[in-house]
Amino acid sequence: MATISNSFSLSYPLLSAFFAITQLIVLSSAGGFTVDLIHRDSPKSPFYNPSATKTERFTDAVRRSFSRASRFRKQSTISPNNNIQSHIIPASGEYLMNISIGTPRFEVLAIADTGSDVAWTQCKPCVNCYKQKAPLFDPKKSSTYRALSCGTRACESVDASACSAKNTCTYTLRYGDQSFSNGDLAVETFTFGSSSGRALSAPNTVFGCGFDNDGTFNETASGIIGLGGGALSIVTQYSDAINGKFSYCLVAEEDKTSKINFGENAIVSGEGVVSTPIVKKEVDTFYYLTLESIKVGNTTVAYKKTKLPSGTASTYDGEKGNIIIDSGTTLTFLPQEMYEALENELVKAINQKNTPDPQQFLSLCYGDLNIDIPTLTFRFTGGAELELPSSSTFVRTGENVICFAMVGSDELAILGNLSQMNFLIGYDLVNSQISFKPTDCGKQ
């Protein structure tokens, strides 16, 4: 365990007074947090299922993408520099962070999610929990667990909170696909790896201890690590210590892992780096970017605003902040009108007979694995262009079928994790920008 070399208080104004004594235990030479990012179905995951085919795993990921997109529509959520680092494990279109919580340490595999804020895990005793392969966290066995009372500023900052009979603060997360998590809002010690290889601990981290959870959650992950921009995201809670910086690199291969870094080691620089502004909007959870166009070969498809009936809510304003970047969604969702124009250009460029998706989810598919797929280039404001390889745009959904891994939507536009693979992606929340660098993430 590292020694105490400095301290910090949670940067969110409503929380800082209550947690003024919060400290981050670090080594002065540690360099920060490092966590592995692990694909859910990676052989390196302790819950790897060798009997599932790659197509079956991708089909599950597609189903979760549609469910997740619907969550964003009706979601009710808990509203000196260090270099924290962790591994990221790829998992059926999602990526897991391996961290520890509690004293003594209890290992947790949770989804790394830039599209949500609160970190939560399933806890004992579970009134109603979805099936989980790993043991449940037992707060009674941790000497550092403390449920927050109803009068605390942290509890008051939660949009969907209530007061239990024991005067503890309870949270409620409800999603459009009927998934949910209910439990106690608490503080606990979170322990991460670091770039030095030494363990680093962050006491008094606010998180959700879920006793009633169900829905489309996969049994491999025991919860979520929120990396969004809201008040209770760990990124916000550790903001001063990490100087508002984190980065990750998502591997394409299921048998490899990569890293997620927090702090100065998360700065993305060097040859090939492009950057685009983060647009602040009403929902502070999401990292909004501005998509200008998508190039198919030499043809440009401009961003097009979906025409919706009068009075229909839509995030598409045709201007700034028209798409979010989300590590927890597999597919990329585009405005319906833009998607249709993009698909038409792909059909003309590929010039082959298409075939139905055997899973009946995706609309543009081909029964030839060796077709010539044109390069897609996403252009964002600031001149940032992301050239996506064919492995990120077309995926195998059947024995001899590949499909375009993007869909049209009349709801929120999302840059999913397939489109983020093999880019080192750095978030600088102090300067409100995201940077991209083409990288072989399997070698990170």
Side-chain angles (χ1 to χ4, degrees):
M1 178 64 67
T3 57
I4 297 177
S5 64
N6 69 325
S7 63
F8 76 99
S9 60
L10 298 182
S11 60
Y12 186 66
L14 289 175
L15 305 181
S16 58
F18 184 71
F19 293 115
I21 62 170
T22 300
Q23 292 180 319
L24 175 64
I25 301 178
V26 298
L27 282 176
S28 57
S29 61
F33 289 98
T34 304
V35 184
D36 281 334
L37 285 181
I38 310 168
H39 197 287
R40 172 177 283 162
D41 292 302
S42 167
K44 296 186 178 183
S45 167
F47 311 116
Y48 173 65
N49 179 9
S51 65
T53 67
K54 189 170 184 177
T55 299
E56 289 171 339
R57 294 194 291 266
F58 179 74
T59 299
D60 288 341
V62 170
R63 289 195 184 99
R64 289 195 301 271
S65 283
F66 284 105
S67 294
R68 181 176 175 82
S70 70
R71 296 180 196 177
F72 292 149
R73 183 169 64 251
K74 300 177 181 178
Q75 184 171 334
S76 174
T77 61
I78 293 181
S79 325
N81 303 324
N82 301 286
N83 295 304
I84 309 162
Q85 190 182 75
S86 177
H87 286 87
I88 293 180
I89 307 171
S92 277
E94 292 173 345
Y95 292 81
L96 308 178
M97 288 177 62
N98 193 343
I99 67 170
S100 296
I101 61 176
T103 307
R105 298 178 197 168
F106 183 88
E107 189 173 285
V108 169
L109 274 178
I111 298 169
D113 187 9
T114 60
S116 67
D117 294 323
V118 64
W120 63 269
T121 188
Q122 298 201 116
C123 292
K124 286 184 177 181
C126 237
V127 177
N128 174 47
C129 279
Y130 63 87
K131 184 180 179 182
Q132 176 182 311
K133 291 182 178 180
L136 298 177
F137 174 65
D138 188 349
K140 292 181 179 179
K141 293 184 178 180
S142 173
S143 62
T144 48
Y145 176 88
R146 179 166 56 87
L148 294 178
S149 61
C150 301
T152 61
R153 291 184 180 272
C155 184
E156 292 172 357
S157 72
V158 178
D159 290 334
S161 65
C163 197
S164 72
K166 297 180 180 179
N167 196 39
T168 57
C169 181
T170 62
Y171 72 90
T172 298
L173 300 175
R174 297 286 181 188
Y175 305 105
D177 66 348
Q178 306 306 311
S179 296
F180 60 86
S181 175
N182 303 314
D184 287 342
L185 194 66
V187 291
E188 182 56 283
T189 296
F190 277 39
T191 302
F192 303 84
S194 73
S195 52
S196 71
R198 301 280 299 273
L200 306 178
S201 294
N204 293 329
T205 298
V206 180
F207 84 115
C209 200
F211 302 109
D212 182 13
N213 324 283
D214 207 351
T216 60
F217 305 114
N218 189 284
E219 62 185 21
T220 308
S222 60
I224 289 175
I225 299 296
L227 301 171
L232 293 186
S233 162
I234 66 167
V235 173
T236 303
Q237 292 190 59
Y238 305 157
S239 180
D240 291 342
I242 65 176
N243 198 24
K245 296 178 177 64
F246 71 99
S247 68
Y248 56 75
C249 205
L250 304 182
V251 295
E253 304 90 346
E254 293 181 353
D255 61 343
K256 296 180 179 179
T257 65
S258 56
K259 306 283 186 183
I260 180 167
N261 287 282
F262 298 81
E264 292 307 300
N265 281 356
I267 296 175
V268 176
S269 60
E271 185 179 356
V273 173
V274 296
S275 300
T276 188
I278 298 173
V279 179
K280 296 184 183 297
K281 302 188 81 170
E282 183 178 355
V283 181
D284 57 8
T285 297
F286 303 138
Y287 300 113
Y288 293 92
L289 309 180
T290 303
L291 176 64
E292 293 183 347
S293 64
I294 301 175
K295 184 182 289 186
V296 185
N298 295 319
T299 303
T300 297
V301 177
Y303 175 88
K304 294 184 179 181
K305 181 179 179 180
T306 299
K307 296 179 181 178
L308 297 175
S310 177
T312 301
S314 173
T315 58
Y316 303 142
D317 54 15
E319 299 177 357
K320 294 182 178 180
N322 53 28
I323 190 169
I324 69 167
I325 181 170
D326 180 26
S327 65
T329 298
T330 303
L331 303 177
T332 286
F333 290 76
L334 298 171
Q336 187 64 42
E337 187 177 349
M338 184 182 194
Y339 173 81
E340 290 173 2
L342 179 62
E343 183 179 292
N344 287 339
E345 291 300 328
L346 283 169
V347 168
K348 288 190 292 184
I350 295 173
N351 194 27
Q352 297 287 335
K353 182 180 179 181
N354 53 32
T355 189
D357 175 13
Q359 309 301 330
Q360 299 182 337
F361 286 119
L362 305 174
S363 64
L364 181 59
C365 302
Y366 294 92
D368 182 355
L369 303 182
N370 299 310
I371 61 170
D372 188 14
I373 298 172
T375 298
L376 295 188
T377 303
F378 279 59
R379 181 179 176 85
F380 297 91
T381 52
E385 293 189 347
L386 305 186
E387 188 174 296
L388 304 187
S390 59
S391 60
S392 296
T393 57
F394 276 77
V395 291
R396 190 167 175 172
T397 63
E399 185 176 354
N400 292 300
V401 178
I402 58 172
C403 295
F404 185 42
M406 299 183 191
V407 294
S409 172
D410 287 332
E411 301 296 336
L412 189 63
I414 304 168
L415 185 70
N417 60 43
L418 277 176
S419 299
Q420 300 175 50
M421 289 191 310
N422 284 330
F423 285 98
L424 178 59
I425 303 176
Y427 294 67
D428 183 344
L429 306 184
V430 174
N431 295 306
S432 295
Q433 73 173 16
I434 291 181
S435 298
F436 300 85
K437 182 178 183 179
T439 305
D440 185 347
C441 294
K443 295 181 179 180
Q444 289 290 297

